[in-house]
Amino acid sequence: MAVDQVDPVEPAPDALPCGRDPLTVVDDARAGRISAHSRSCEYCQQAIDEDRLLATVREIEAEPVPAPDTLLPRVMATVFAELRPGRQIALPAVGPSASVTELAIVSTLRHHLDELPDLIVHRCRVRAGEPAGELRPEGEPALVVELTAAGAYQADLADLADQVRATAHRVLREQFGFDDVRVDVEFVDLFTLADGGD
Amino acid sequence: MKVDEAAIDGAAAPAPRRPVKPDVDDAVLVLRAQDGDPRAFEQLVRRYQQVMFGVAVRILGDRDEAEDVTQNAFIAAWRRLPEFRADAKFSTWMYRIVTNQALNQARGQSRRPRPADRETLEAASGSWASTTVDADPERHAQRAALLAAVRRALAALPDQLRVCWLLREVHERSYQEVADITEVSLDTARGRIFRARQRLAEEMSAWR
Protein backbone atom coordinates (compact mmCIF):
# COMPACT_ATOMS: atom_id res chain seq x y z
CA MET A 1 0.00 0.00 0.00
CA ALA A 2 1.27 3.44 -0.85
CA VAL A 3 2.09 5.86 1.91
CA ASP A 4 -0.54 8.11 0.49
CA GLN A 5 -2.74 8.20 -2.55
CA VAL A 6 -1.10 10.07 -5.38
CA ASP A 7 -2.89 13.32 -5.87
CA PRO A 8 -2.44 14.29 -9.51
CA VAL A 9 -3.20 17.92 -8.78
CA GLU A 10 -0.83 18.18 -5.85
CA PRO A 11 1.46 21.00 -6.91
CA ALA A 12 5.21 21.10 -7.22
CA PRO A 13 6.79 23.91 -5.27
CA ASP A 14 5.95 27.33 -6.65
CA ALA A 15 8.86 29.25 -8.04
CA LEU A 16 9.95 32.21 -5.98
CA PRO A 17 8.78 35.59 -7.32
CA CYS A 18 12.27 35.95 -8.79
CA GLY A 19 11.71 32.78 -10.83
CA ARG A 20 14.14 30.56 -8.90
CA ASP A 21 13.18 27.12 -7.56
CA PRO A 22 13.09 27.47 -3.74
CA LEU A 23 14.38 23.94 -3.05
CA THR A 24 17.36 24.47 -5.35
CA VAL A 25 18.14 27.85 -3.79
CA VAL A 26 18.13 26.30 -0.31
CA ASP A 27 20.09 23.20 -1.35
CA ASP A 28 22.72 25.39 -3.00
CA ALA A 29 22.96 27.61 0.06
CA ARG A 30 23.39 24.60 2.34
CA ALA A 31 26.20 23.44 0.08
CA GLY A 32 27.82 26.88 0.30
CA ARG A 33 26.96 27.78 -3.29
CA ILE A 34 25.14 31.09 -3.09
CA SER A 35 24.91 32.73 -6.48
CA ALA A 36 25.38 36.43 -7.07
CA HIS A 37 21.66 36.64 -7.77
CA SER A 38 20.71 34.92 -4.51
CA ARG A 39 23.00 37.19 -2.52
CA SER A 40 21.11 40.26 -3.66
CA CYS A 41 17.61 38.79 -4.09
CA GLU A 42 15.23 39.36 -1.17
CA TYR A 43 13.15 36.30 -2.04
CA CYS A 44 16.14 33.97 -2.20
CA GLN A 45 17.48 35.48 1.03
CA GLN A 46 14.15 34.95 2.74
CA ALA A 47 14.12 31.29 1.67
CA ILE A 48 17.69 30.86 2.90
CA ASP A 49 16.94 32.60 6.22
CA GLU A 50 13.90 30.40 6.82
CA ASP A 51 15.99 27.34 6.16
CA ARG A 52 18.63 28.49 8.65
CA LEU A 53 15.87 28.75 11.24
CA LEU A 54 14.95 25.14 10.54
CA ALA A 55 18.51 23.94 11.02
CA THR A 56 17.77 23.55 14.73
CA VAL A 57 14.75 21.39 13.99
CA ARG A 58 16.80 19.18 11.68
CA GLU A 59 19.60 18.95 14.22
CA ILE A 60 17.22 17.89 16.99
CA GLU A 61 15.39 15.36 14.85
CA ALA A 62 18.56 13.89 13.38
CA GLU A 63 19.96 12.68 16.69
CA PRO A 64 20.74 9.00 16.18
CA VAL A 65 18.31 6.55 17.71
CA PRO A 66 20.02 3.19 18.22
CA ALA A 67 17.91 0.13 17.55
CA PRO A 68 16.98 -1.96 20.60
CA ASP A 69 19.29 -4.90 21.24
CA THR A 70 16.33 -7.25 20.99
CA LEU A 71 15.44 -6.29 17.41
CA LEU A 72 18.03 -8.31 15.48
CA PRO A 73 17.54 -11.55 17.47
CA ARG A 74 13.78 -11.28 17.08
CA VAL A 75 14.04 -10.84 13.32
CA MET A 76 16.58 -13.62 12.89
CA ALA A 77 14.59 -16.06 15.03
CA THR A 78 11.79 -15.82 12.49
CA VAL A 79 14.18 -15.96 9.54
CA PHE A 80 15.80 -19.15 10.82
CA ALA A 81 12.40 -20.65 11.58
CA GLU A 82 11.34 -20.03 7.98
CA LEU A 83 14.51 -21.14 6.23
CA ARG A 84 14.03 -22.84 2.91
CA PRO A 85 16.67 -25.54 3.15
CA GLY A 86 16.23 -26.84 -0.37
CA ARG A 87 16.20 -30.46 -1.43
CA GLN A 88 17.84 -33.29 0.44
CA ILE A 89 20.90 -34.75 -1.25
CA ALA A 90 22.01 -38.25 -0.32
CA LEU A 91 25.51 -38.52 1.08
CA PRO A 92 27.47 -40.69 -1.36
CA ALA A 93 29.32 -42.69 1.28
CA VAL A 94 26.12 -43.66 3.08
CA GLY A 95 23.44 -43.74 0.44
CA PRO A 96 19.82 -42.65 0.78
CA SER A 97 19.72 -43.34 4.51
CA ALA A 98 21.68 -40.17 5.23
CA SER A 99 21.33 -36.87 3.44
CA VAL A 100 22.24 -33.23 3.61
CA THR A 101 20.27 -30.20 2.47
CA GLU A 102 21.28 -28.03 -0.46
CA LEU A 103 21.41 -25.07 1.92
CA ALA A 104 23.88 -26.85 4.23
CA ILE A 105 26.18 -27.59 1.31
CA VAL A 106 25.93 -24.05 -0.04
CA SER A 107 26.55 -22.50 3.40
CA THR A 108 29.64 -24.64 3.86
CA LEU A 109 30.95 -23.77 0.41
CA ARG A 110 30.35 -20.05 0.96
CA HIS A 111 32.15 -20.16 4.29
CA HIS A 112 35.28 -21.62 2.71
CA LEU A 113 35.14 -19.67 -0.55
CA ASP A 114 34.73 -16.39 1.34
CA GLU A 115 38.21 -16.99 2.73
CA LEU A 116 39.76 -16.68 -0.73
CA PRO A 117 41.20 -13.15 -0.69
CA ASP A 118 40.45 -12.31 -4.30
CA LEU A 119 36.88 -13.56 -4.46
CA ILE A 120 33.43 -12.31 -3.46
CA VAL A 121 30.78 -14.96 -3.98
CA HIS A 122 27.50 -13.71 -5.39
CA ARG A 123 25.22 -16.66 -6.07
CA CYS A 124 26.01 -20.23 -5.16
CA ARG A 125 23.69 -23.08 -6.03
CA VAL A 126 24.06 -26.82 -6.01
CA ARG A 127 22.04 -29.51 -7.69
CA ALA A 128 22.36 -33.23 -7.44
CA GLY A 129 22.58 -35.37 -10.53
CA GLU A 130 20.66 -38.59 -10.93
CA PRO A 131 21.79 -41.47 -8.72
CA ALA A 132 24.76 -43.36 -10.12
CA GLY A 133 23.77 -46.09 -12.53
CA GLU A 134 21.49 -46.28 -15.51
CA LEU A 135 19.62 -43.05 -14.79
CA ARG A 136 22.68 -40.83 -14.84
CA PRO A 137 23.87 -39.86 -18.32
CA GLU A 138 27.50 -40.65 -19.01
CA GLY A 139 29.79 -37.84 -17.94
CA GLU A 140 27.15 -36.25 -15.75
CA PRO A 141 28.56 -35.61 -12.24
CA ALA A 142 26.86 -36.53 -9.00
CA LEU A 143 26.81 -32.91 -7.91
CA VAL A 144 26.95 -29.64 -9.84
CA VAL A 145 27.95 -26.36 -8.19
CA GLU A 146 26.96 -23.17 -10.03
CA LEU A 147 28.72 -20.10 -8.80
CA THR A 148 28.67 -16.45 -9.81
CA ALA A 149 31.27 -14.21 -8.24
CA ALA A 150 33.33 -11.05 -8.40
CA GLY A 151 37.10 -11.29 -8.72
CA ALA A 152 39.73 -8.78 -7.65
CA TYR A 153 41.11 -6.63 -10.47
CA GLN A 154 44.59 -7.68 -9.43
CA ALA A 155 43.81 -11.38 -9.74
CA ASP A 156 44.39 -13.68 -12.68
CA LEU A 157 40.85 -14.89 -13.17
CA ALA A 158 41.88 -18.23 -14.67
CA ASP A 159 44.02 -18.92 -11.60
CA LEU A 160 41.25 -17.70 -9.35
CA ALA A 161 38.75 -20.03 -11.03
CA ASP A 162 41.18 -22.90 -10.42
CA GLN A 163 41.45 -21.93 -6.75
CA VAL A 164 37.67 -21.83 -6.49
CA ARG A 165 37.33 -25.28 -8.03
CA ALA A 166 40.11 -26.73 -5.89
CA THR A 167 38.56 -25.31 -2.71
CA ALA A 168 35.08 -26.51 -3.63
CA HIS A 169 36.31 -30.01 -4.55
CA ARG A 170 38.28 -30.30 -1.31
CA VAL A 171 35.40 -29.12 0.89
CA LEU A 172 32.83 -31.30 -0.83
CA ARG A 173 35.08 -34.35 -0.62
CA GLU A 174 36.29 -33.87 2.96
CA GLN A 175 33.04 -32.74 4.53
CA PHE A 176 30.38 -34.54 2.52
CA GLY A 177 32.17 -37.32 0.64
CA PHE A 178 31.40 -36.04 -2.87
CA ASP A 179 34.13 -36.97 -5.36
CA ASP A 180 32.23 -36.65 -8.59
CA VAL A 181 31.59 -32.92 -8.74
CA ARG A 182 31.53 -30.25 -11.43
CA VAL A 183 32.05 -26.61 -10.42
CA ASP A 184 30.90 -23.94 -12.89
CA VAL A 185 32.33 -20.50 -12.14
CA GLU A 186 31.15 -17.31 -13.81
CA PHE A 187 32.80 -14.00 -12.99
CA VAL A 188 30.12 -11.31 -13.20
CA ASP A 189 31.97 -8.40 -11.62
CA LEU A 190 35.40 -7.14 -10.57
CA PHE A 191 36.40 -5.28 -7.41
CA THR A 192 39.38 -3.39 -6.08
CA LEU A 193 41.18 -4.66 -3.03
CA ALA A 194 41.35 -1.98 -0.33
CA ASP A 195 44.50 -1.11 1.60
CA GLY A 196 44.25 -3.05 4.82
CA GLY A 197 46.89 -1.03 6.63
CA ASP A 198 49.88 -2.44 8.48
CA MET B 1 71.92 -6.79 -4.16
CA LYS B 2 69.48 -4.98 -1.90
CA VAL B 3 70.53 -5.10 1.73
CA ASP B 4 67.85 -5.70 4.32
CA GLU B 5 68.79 -3.04 6.88
CA ALA B 6 66.17 -4.13 9.34
CA ALA B 7 67.67 -7.61 9.37
CA ILE B 8 71.16 -6.19 9.94
CA ASP B 9 69.90 -4.05 12.82
CA GLY B 10 68.12 -7.02 14.27
CA ALA B 11 64.84 -5.14 14.13
CA ALA B 12 61.73 -6.79 12.76
CA ALA B 13 60.94 -5.76 9.21
CA PRO B 14 57.60 -4.02 8.90
CA ALA B 15 54.86 -6.39 7.92
CA PRO B 16 53.71 -5.90 4.34
CA ARG B 17 50.45 -4.02 3.99
CA ARG B 18 47.81 -6.59 3.32
CA PRO B 19 45.05 -5.73 0.89
CA VAL B 20 41.57 -6.56 2.07
CA LYS B 21 38.32 -7.22 0.32
CA PRO B 22 35.77 -4.39 0.38
CA ASP B 23 32.54 -4.86 2.31
CA VAL B 24 30.05 -6.89 0.36
CA ASP B 25 27.53 -4.46 -1.07
CA ASP B 26 23.78 -4.61 -0.52
CA ALA B 27 23.02 -5.97 -3.97
CA VAL B 28 25.26 -9.00 -3.42
CA LEU B 29 23.86 -9.61 0.05
CA VAL B 30 20.37 -9.53 -1.44
CA LEU B 31 21.38 -12.10 -4.08
CA ARG B 32 22.76 -14.34 -1.36
CA ALA B 33 19.68 -13.88 0.80
CA GLN B 34 17.48 -14.69 -2.18
CA ASP B 35 19.38 -17.97 -2.39
CA GLY B 36 18.32 -18.62 1.21
CA ASP B 37 21.49 -17.50 3.00
CA PRO B 38 20.31 -16.25 6.42
CA ARG B 39 23.71 -14.77 7.29
CA ALA B 40 23.52 -12.47 4.27
CA PHE B 41 20.11 -11.28 5.39
CA GLU B 42 21.44 -10.83 8.93
CA GLN B 43 24.11 -8.49 7.57
CA LEU B 44 21.43 -6.45 5.83
CA VAL B 45 19.44 -6.21 9.06
CA ARG B 46 22.56 -5.14 10.95
CA ARG B 47 23.23 -2.44 8.35
CA TYR B 48 19.74 -0.99 8.36
CA GLN B 49 18.16 -1.74 11.75
CA GLN B 50 19.12 1.58 13.29
CA VAL B 51 17.96 3.76 10.43
CA MET B 52 14.71 1.82 9.97
CA PHE B 53 13.97 1.87 13.68
CA GLY B 54 14.66 5.61 13.55
CA VAL B 55 12.03 6.07 10.84
CA ALA B 56 9.47 4.02 12.74
CA VAL B 57 10.05 5.67 16.11
CA ARG B 58 9.80 9.14 14.56
CA ILE B 59 6.53 8.29 12.83
CA LEU B 60 4.94 6.40 15.72
CA GLY B 61 6.43 8.20 18.69
CA ASP B 62 6.53 4.98 20.68
CA ARG B 63 9.59 2.79 20.80
CA ASP B 64 7.82 -0.47 21.61
CA GLU B 65 5.48 -0.01 18.67
CA ALA B 66 8.42 1.08 16.55
CA GLU B 67 10.35 -2.05 17.41
CA ASP B 68 7.37 -4.23 16.48
CA VAL B 69 6.91 -2.37 13.20
CA THR B 70 10.62 -2.55 12.34
CA GLN B 71 10.71 -6.25 13.17
CA ASN B 72 7.64 -6.91 11.02
CA ALA B 73 9.09 -4.86 8.19
CA PHE B 74 12.33 -6.87 8.11
CA ILE B 75 10.40 -10.13 8.27
CA ALA B 76 8.14 -8.94 5.45
CA ALA B 77 11.27 -8.11 3.45
CA TRP B 78 12.68 -11.59 4.08
CA ARG B 79 9.44 -13.20 2.90
CA ARG B 80 9.18 -10.96 -0.14
CA LEU B 81 12.81 -11.25 -1.21
CA PRO B 82 11.93 -13.43 -4.21
CA GLU B 83 9.92 -10.47 -5.58
CA PHE B 84 12.77 -8.00 -5.10
CA ARG B 85 14.03 -6.74 -8.45
CA ALA B 86 17.76 -6.74 -9.06
CA ASP B 87 17.66 -3.17 -10.40
CA ALA B 88 16.05 -1.78 -7.24
CA LYS B 89 17.85 -0.41 -4.21
CA PHE B 90 17.44 -2.44 -1.03
CA SER B 91 17.51 0.63 1.22
CA THR B 92 14.72 2.35 -0.74
CA TRP B 93 12.65 -0.82 -0.61
CA MET B 94 13.15 -1.13 3.16
CA TYR B 95 12.31 2.52 3.73
CA ARG B 96 9.08 1.99 1.80
CA ILE B 97 8.09 -1.10 3.80
CA VAL B 98 8.86 0.50 7.17
CA THR B 99 7.18 3.79 6.30
CA ASN B 100 4.02 2.07 5.08
CA GLN B 101 3.86 -0.26 8.05
CA ALA B 102 4.43 2.54 10.55
CA LEU B 103 1.70 4.68 9.02
CA ASN B 104 -0.66 1.71 8.79
CA GLN B 105 0.03 0.92 12.42
CA ALA B 106 -0.75 4.48 13.42
CA ARG B 107 -3.92 4.58 11.34
CA GLY B 108 -5.01 1.20 12.63
CA GLN B 109 -5.07 2.61 16.10
CA SER B 110 -7.31 5.46 14.98
CA ARG B 111 -4.93 8.12 15.99
CA ARG B 112 -2.65 10.42 14.19
CA PRO B 113 0.92 9.28 14.05
CA ARG B 114 2.90 11.71 16.10
CA PRO B 115 6.51 12.71 16.06
CA ALA B 116 8.56 10.98 18.67
CA ASP B 117 8.66 13.03 21.80
CA ARG B 118 11.90 13.72 23.55
CA GLU B 119 11.26 11.14 26.25
CA THR B 120 10.80 8.47 23.59
CA LEU B 121 13.97 9.39 21.76
CA GLU B 122 15.80 9.67 25.05
CA ALA B 123 14.67 6.24 26.13
CA ALA B 124 15.51 4.86 22.70
CA SER B 125 18.92 6.43 22.39
CA GLY B 126 20.07 6.79 25.95
CA SER B 127 22.08 9.74 24.74
CA TRP B 128 19.66 12.59 24.78
CA ALA B 129 20.08 13.58 28.40
CA SER B 130 23.85 13.53 28.26
CA THR B 131 23.94 15.81 25.23
CA THR B 132 21.39 18.31 26.41
CA VAL B 133 21.63 18.75 30.13
CA ASP B 134 22.80 22.26 30.71
CA ALA B 135 24.27 23.53 33.95
CA ASP B 136 22.64 26.90 33.36
CA PRO B 137 18.96 26.55 34.42
CA GLU B 138 17.89 29.37 32.14
CA ARG B 139 19.51 27.85 29.08
CA HIS B 140 18.17 24.46 30.03
CA ALA B 141 14.64 25.86 30.25
CA GLN B 142 15.11 27.62 26.93
CA ARG B 143 16.27 24.40 25.33
CA ALA B 144 13.33 22.48 26.76
CA ALA B 145 10.95 25.10 25.36
CA LEU B 146 12.63 24.84 21.98
CA LEU B 147 12.21 21.07 22.00
CA ALA B 148 8.56 21.44 22.87
CA ALA B 149 8.13 23.90 20.01
CA VAL B 150 9.79 21.52 17.56
CA ARG B 151 7.51 18.73 18.76
CA ARG B 152 4.42 20.87 18.31
CA ALA B 153 5.51 22.06 14.89
CA LEU B 154 6.14 18.53 13.64
CA ALA B 155 2.91 17.24 15.16
CA ALA B 156 0.98 19.93 13.31
CA LEU B 157 2.17 18.67 9.91
CA PRO B 158 -0.10 16.35 7.92
CA ASP B 159 1.33 12.81 7.65
CA GLN B 160 2.30 13.02 4.01
CA LEU B 161 4.22 16.25 4.49
CA ARG B 162 5.92 15.09 7.67
CA VAL B 163 7.04 11.78 6.19
CA CYS B 164 8.50 13.43 3.10
CA TRP B 165 10.23 16.06 5.27
CA LEU B 166 11.58 13.35 7.59
CA LEU B 167 12.99 11.28 4.72
CA ARG B 168 14.64 14.31 3.14
CA GLU B 169 15.86 16.31 6.11
CA VAL B 170 16.61 13.68 8.73
CA HIS B 171 17.40 10.64 6.60
CA GLU B 172 19.00 12.66 3.81
CA ARG B 173 17.30 10.84 0.95
CA SER B 174 17.37 12.44 -2.48
CA TYR B 175 14.15 13.95 -3.83
CA GLN B 176 13.81 11.02 -6.21
CA GLU B 177 14.23 8.52 -3.38
CA VAL B 178 11.61 10.33 -1.31
CA ALA B 179 9.28 10.06 -4.30
CA ASP B 180 10.10 6.35 -4.76
CA ILE B 181 9.69 5.53 -1.07
CA THR B 182 6.37 7.33 -0.74
CA GLU B 183 5.24 6.23 -4.21
CA VAL B 184 4.38 9.66 -5.52
CA SER B 185 5.71 11.67 -8.43
CA LEU B 186 8.93 13.65 -8.07
CA ASP B 187 7.01 16.94 -8.31
CA THR B 188 4.62 15.83 -5.58
CA ALA B 189 7.48 14.80 -3.29
CA ARG B 190 9.28 18.09 -3.85
CA GLY B 191 6.05 20.01 -3.27
CA ARG B 192 5.44 18.20 0.00
CA ILE B 193 8.95 18.87 1.26
CA PHE B 194 8.62 22.53 0.33
CA ARG B 195 5.26 22.92 2.04
CA ALA B 196 6.51 21.06 5.12
CA ARG B 197 9.42 23.48 5.36
CA GLN B 198 7.11 26.47 4.94
CA ARG B 199 4.79 25.31 7.68
CA LEU B 200 7.63 24.45 10.03
CA ALA B 201 9.19 27.85 9.41
CA GLU B 202 5.88 29.52 10.27
CA GLU B 203 5.48 27.44 13.42
CA MET B 204 9.03 28.15 14.48
CA SER B 205 9.07 31.82 13.51
CA ALA B 206 8.92 32.90 17.15
CA TRP B 207 12.35 31.34 17.60
CA ARG B 208 13.94 33.44 14.91
Side-chain angles (χ1 to χ4, degrees):
Chain A
M1 186 182 134
V3 166
D4 205 55
Q5 294 298 314
V6 177
D7 180 355
V9 298
E10 198 166 335
D14 291 332
L16 297 169
C18 62
R20 300 291 197 280
D21 170 51
L23 294 183
T24 305
V25 168
V26 165
D27 288 344
D28 284 349
R30 285 187 196 175
R33 298 185 304 262
I34 302 180
S35 68
H37 164 86
S38 289
R39 275 183 220 287
S40 58
C41 170
E42 62 175 301
Y43 306 109
C44 291
Q45 279 303 317
Q46 186 184 348
I48 292 168
D49 287 347
E50 279 181 357
D51 187 61
R52 286 187 182 136
L53 174 68
L54 293 182
T56 310
V57 180
R58 288 196 299 275
E59 180 193 322
I60 288 169
E61 282 301 297
E63 281 215 4
V65 186
D69 292 341
T70 45
L71 179 59
L72 179 71
R74 286 171 62 186
V75 171
M76 292 313 296
T78 303
V79 167
F80 280 111
E82 296 183 359
L83 273 186
R84 300 174 283 269
R87 284 170 297 181
Q88 299 279 334
I89 298 176
L91 291 172
V94 187
S97 63
S99 61
V100 62
T101 63
E102 289 176 338
L103 182 61
I105 296 176
V106 166
S107 298
T108 309
L109 279 173
R110 278 192 195 284
H111 172 75
H112 288 277
L113 292 171
D114 277 343
E115 290 177 357
L116 293 178
D118 294 336
L119 186 82
I120 294 176
V121 177
H122 285 201
R123 302 206 95 131
C124 180
R125 290 170 170 169
V126 297
R127 61 182 168 85
E130 297 292 344
E134 289 179 7
L135 287 174
R136 188 189 302 170
E138 194 171 327
E140 183 70 16
L143 192 72
V144 176
V145 178
E146 293 169 335
L147 194 84
T148 62
Y153 275 110
Q154 298 90 330
D156 177 321
L157 293 187
D159 285 349
L160 185 56
D162 287 343
Q163 288 179 53
V164 170
R165 289 196 182 92
T167 303
H169 281 288
R170 177 178 55 76
V171 168
L172 292 170
R173 184 177 59 251
E174 291 176 358
Q175 296 203 237
F176 302 104
F178 288 107
D179 278 320
D180 189 11
V181 174
R182 190 178 80 225
V183 181
D184 297 333
V185 185
E186 182 185 0
F187 291 106
V188 294
D189 199 4
L190 295 170
F191 66 88
T192 305
L193 289 167
D195 188 343
D198 294 333
Chain B
M1 191 180 98
K2 191 175 177 186
V3 177
D4 185 343
E5 292 176 7
I8 291 172
D9 291 344
R17 295 170 83 85
R18 190 161 167 253
V20 294
K21 288 196 268 193
D23 285 341
V24 177
D25 64 32
D26 289 355
V28 173
L29 289 175
V30 168
L31 282 177
R32 290 180 173 207
Q34 284 177 322
D35 281 350
D37 178 358
R39 296 297 172 201
F41 190 73
E42 183 177 349
Q43 276 184 269
L44 289 167
V45 178
R46 282 184 192 280
R47 266 179 205 181
Y48 289 104
Q49 61 175 343
Q50 177 167 328
V51 71
M52 296 306 156
F53 178 72
V55 172
V57 83
R58 287 183 173 102
I59 290 175
L60 287 161
D62 180 292
R63 63 183 187 135
D64 290 333
E65 283 183 37
E67 183 176 1
D68 286 345
V69 159
T70 312
Q71 177 191 340
N72 291 338
F74 277 117
I75 291 169
W78 167 253
R79 290 174 180 161
R80 285 157 52 184
L81 268 180
E83 303 163 23
F84 183 78
R85 301 189 326 270
D87 60 339
K89 229 174 129 180
F90 180 78
S91 59
T92 301
W93 191 56
M94 271 313 308
Y95 270 115
R96 188 182 306 145
I97 296 173
V98 168
T99 303
N100 283 336
Q101 293 211 359
L103 286 172
N104 286 342
Q105 167 82 4
R107 287 170 187 148
Q109 295 183 350
S110 302
R111 63 163 171 73
R112 270 180 49 76
R114 60 183 191 277
D117 59 30
R118 290 303 108 198
E119 292 74 21
T120 297
L121 291 180
E122 178 184 347
S125 71
S127 66
W128 179 252
S130 64
T131 56
T132 57
V133 166
D134 203 308
D136 178 345
E138 193 177 335
R139 280 182 57 184
H140 185 72
Q142 202 171 22
R143 174 106 182 145
L146 173 63
L147 296 178
V150 169
R151 192 160 66 234
R152 276 196 306 274
L154 286 168
L157 288 179
D159 298 349
Q160 67 269 31
L161 300 196
R162 186 155 48 81
V163 167
C164 287
W165 181 87
L166 178 73
L167 291 169
R168 173 67 187 170
E169 305 288 46
V170 176
H171 291 271
E172 299 180 335
R173 299 298 91 195
S174 69
Y175 295 116
Q176 186 59 56
E177 281 179 293
V178 174
D180 292 343
I181 292 165
T182 55
E183 299 180 270
V184 297
S185 70
L186 179 60
D187 274 351
T188 296
R190 287 171 58 88
R192 287 178 180 181
I193 293 162
F194 174 67
R195 287 193 293 285
R197 284 182 186 170
Q198 276 188 318
R199 292 199 191 188
L200 286 174
E202 284 166 20
E203 294 281 339
M204 298 296 295
S205 58
W207 292 85
R208 191 183 293 273

